[in-house]
Amino acid sequence: MLVTLEGIDGSGKTTVWEALRADREEGYTFTHEPTDSWYGKAVRRSEAADDANPLAELFLFTADHADHLSSVVEPALDCGDVVVSDRYSDSRYAYQGVALEGEVPRPMEYVRGIHQPWTRPPDVTLYFDVDPETGAARAGATNKFEQAEFLRDVRTNYEQLIEYTPERFVRIDASQSPEAVLDDAESVLDRVLSDA
Ligand code: TYD
């Protein structure tokens, strides 16, 4: 089973991912995008550059995903592990769907289209929902992706993705205290694994 954690910057999902990882060992693979591979390093370099070409950046993120899928996610799933990924394809649909506005028509559909023939969709996605002002404040607004205005549009894209496949998403109220958010995430994960 492939479980992904998604949400805007500052939604607290990485803290949850770290806590889940500390609790669960045997039978789990915890991973994330961007990855720590050289593809992921190229992505982080682009992220830090305010003048990065958004189309070039999309393909760096997508290259990182292709490598992540074949070298980490698919082998772990083949071994029967539960894979828990902090960010995955939906991050590209939501974020690059905003970053590519004005570059290509219907950007989110374009980004989904280039993944569709080869990606492996998640079975369950925990969506950490928080308003963009809180997200930007928590994230520190240190790069171009962490500005409240940008995050507002990213959140709109996430809402659109949830409308497309509501059965895949579980919404978690990420405006709660970190302890309450973690409690919710733990119980959702336990429930989906026992239903599987
Ligand atoms: P994030 O999970 O916040 O990593 P970290 O906190 O370790 O830097 O992801 C980094 C940023 O990259 C975040 O602002 C979201 C953005 N991002 C995309 O724009 N597209 C993607 O496909 C992914 C995976 C991330």
Side-chain angles (χ1 to χ4, degrees), residues 11-29:
S11 61
K13 60 177 180 38
T14 302
T15 310
V16 167
W17 177 87
E18 282 165 355
L20 294 173
R21 184 178 57 165
D23 273 9
R24 298 163 195 253
E25 284 167 17
E26 196 68 17
Y28 287 86
T29 293

Side-chain angles (χ1 to χ4, degrees), residues 114-135:
I114 59 165
H115 283 71
Q116 192 272 328
W118 54 271
T119 193
R120 197 294 192 185
D123 298 298
V124 178
T125 299
L126 275 55
Y127 174 61
F128 294 81
D129 190 19
V130 74
D131 66 86
E133 287 73 25
T134 306

Side-chain angles (χ1 to χ4, degrees), residues 10-194:
S11 61
K13 60 177 180 38
T14 302
T15 310
V16 167
W17 177 87
E18 282 165 355
L20 294 173
R21 184 178 57 165
D23 273 9
R24 298 163 195 253
E25 284 167 17
E26 196 68 17
Y28 287 86
T29 293
F30 282 86
T31 185
H32 53 85
E33 292 186 9
T35 70
D36 295 326
S37 72
W38 67 265
Y39 298 101
K41 291 201 175 78
V43 166
R44 290 192 186 283
R45 205 168 144 182
S46 181
E47 238 173 70
D50 286 333
D51 62 348
N53 177 294
L55 206 47
E57 193 161 72
L58 164 69
F59 289 110
L60 288 177
F61 275 116
T62 307
D64 188 39
H65 176 63
D67 179 66
H68 185 216
L69 194 59
S70 66
S71 65
V72 177
V73 176
E74 282 170 340
L77 292 172
D78 288 346
C79 287
D81 267 15
V82 173
V83 177
V84 182
S85 188
D86 179 5
R87 296 198 182 281
Y88 193 73
S89 307
D90 290 316
S91 284
R92 232 118 38 244
Y93 309 159
Y95 279 77
Q96 275 59 55
V98 178
L100 289 170
E101 207 62 66
E103 302 283 328
V104 292
R106 294 167 49 81
M108 188 162 74
E109 302 318 317
Y110 174 73
V111 179
R112 291 174 78 216
I114 59 165
H115 283 71
Q116 192 272 328
W118 54 271
T119 193
R120 197 294 192 185
D123 298 298
V124 178
T125 299
L126 275 55
Y127 174 61
F128 294 81
D129 190 19
V130 74
D131 66 86
E133 287 73 25
T134 306
R138 283 186 189 160
T142 52
N143 72 29
K144 61 194 174 193
F145 293 139
E146 293 173 352
Q147 309 301 318
E149 229 165 277
F150 183 84
L151 294 179
R152 184 169 311 121
D153 295 342
V154 173
R155 192 187 193 205
T156 304
N157 281 351
Y158 274 123
E159 294 294 341
Q160 177 69 63
L161 292 166
I162 295 170
E163 259 180 49
Y164 287 148
T165 52
E167 64 286 355
R168 174 163 69 84
F169 286 90
V170 182
R171 190 189 295 268
I172 292 179
D173 176 4
S175 67
Q176 307 175 88
S177 69
E179 296 76 24
V181 175
L182 178 59
D183 276 356
D184 281 5
E186 292 269 15
S187 53
V188 168
L189 191 55
D190 287 339
R191 178 166 53 76
V192 299
L193 293 177
S194 67

